[in-house]
Amino acid sequence: MSESILVAVAQFAPTSDPAENLASIDELASRAADRGARVVVFPEYSSFFEKDLGPRFVEAAEPLDGPFVTGLGRIARRLDLHVVAGLVAVAGTDRFSNTLVAVSPTGALEATYRKLHLYDAFGQRESDWVEAGGIEQPETFDVDGFTVGLQTCYDVRFPEVTRLLVDAGVEVVLLPAEWVRGPLKEHHWRTLVTARAIENTVYVAAADHTPPVGVGNSMIVDPSGVEIATIGDERGIAVAELRRDRLEGVRRVNPSLALRRFGVVPRSASA
């Protein structure tokens, strides 16, 4: 078990060309690896993105063993690090699955996550085109002794999602997003990411798109809510050290997980 790991968030604007997106991921992941990162987190919709959801997303959907994930595997293997990114994935319906994939340093797929809460808010209707993920036991993976879990964008507005991850043993939450711009949206982004870290005493590494569509402000927040690495509105990476002693120290001072009196129960289909 390592006493610390370096984690990077990478911020860029994915396009409708998966090959171009893989090239951006390769370049940014290489910069993260050069700085010693063991994990690099890319945004939601890293494989394919256009401003407006529509049939082209369904046409661009790939399986988990398709060229985009295979390309991530090559990058992870060459750089010897874990790569997490958003995939427009085949859903087996007339919609697609908004999926996160985590690829290990061997190039193998080590965890996936399908977005639970779809962005039917602020004038958007993600559910018109996206198949929501099922409520299942979270898939986690290990990075040098730290237990890592995944969630996506709008899910951060639902604190029970992060709590389910923490109940599964997660100490580091990776949060790819496409957090669109709008009134107070940047304020919501920073507040919610920070709150999820504080209330669960975990590290949160959140990666967004750059403007003009996303707000940017990708960040890594520690278990006490301190922003230990941040990117502004430009393409790039930020790297931070995640420390075991910091995690344990915060939990000694603020044992909120041990003191809580409520659990999380999935809502029934008929509710």
Side-chain angles (χ1 to χ4, degrees), residues 24-203:
S24 292
I25 288 169
D26 194 340
E27 186 240 322
L28 293 168
S30 297
R31 289 168 55 184
D34 287 345
R35 292 178 58 181
R38 294 291 294 132
V39 185
V40 57
V41 188
F42 289 91
E44 179 185 20
Y45 291 121
S46 280
S47 68
F48 178 92
F49 184 73
E50 294 180 337
K51 182 179 179 181
D52 297 316
L53 285 177
R56 280 175 50 83
F57 281 77
V58 180
E59 295 165 4
E62 297 185 17
L64 293 176
D65 59 355
F68 184 77
V69 177
T70 301
L72 292 181
R74 287 195 298 268
I75 294 168
R77 187 167 54 250
R78 177 172 57 83
L79 298 175
D80 189 34
L81 82 172
H82 302 259
V83 178
V84 172
L87 170 70
V88 174
V90 172
T93 68
D94 59 355
R95 293 180 287 179
F96 69 92
S97 172
N98 186 337
T99 300
L100 302 181
V101 293
V103 179
S104 78
T106 68
L109 186 65
E110 59 186 343
T112 62
Y113 176 85
R114 295 175 61 206
K115 190 174 187 178
L116 293 181
H117 296 91
L118 302 183
Y119 188 57
D120 289 359
F122 296 91
Q124 306 288 320
R125 285 278 308 172
E126 194 175 36
S127 63
D128 287 345
W129 296 102
V130 179
E131 191 81 30
I135 300 173
E136 302 168 346
Q137 181 65 17
E139 295 183 21
T140 66
F141 59 101
D142 179 86
V143 179
D144 300 340
F146 286 81
T147 302
V148 181
L150 308 170
Q151 68 179 92
T152 313
C153 198
Y154 192 53
D155 283 329
V156 78
R157 291 184 181 272
F158 302 85
E160 57 270 22
V161 176
T162 315
R163 184 55 55 85
L164 281 172
L165 291 173
V166 172
D167 283 348
V170 166
E171 300 163 314
V172 180
V173 175
L174 307 183
L175 178 66
E178 195 281 294
W179 199 270
V180 297
R181 294 164 68 86
L184 297 177
K185 291 296 296 299
E186 183 174 330
H187 170 65
H188 290 184
W189 169 247
R190 302 182 82 93
T191 300
L192 291 164
V193 171
T194 303
R196 298 297 86 84
I198 293 170
E199 69 198 5
N200 292 290
T201 56
V202 293
Y203 285 98

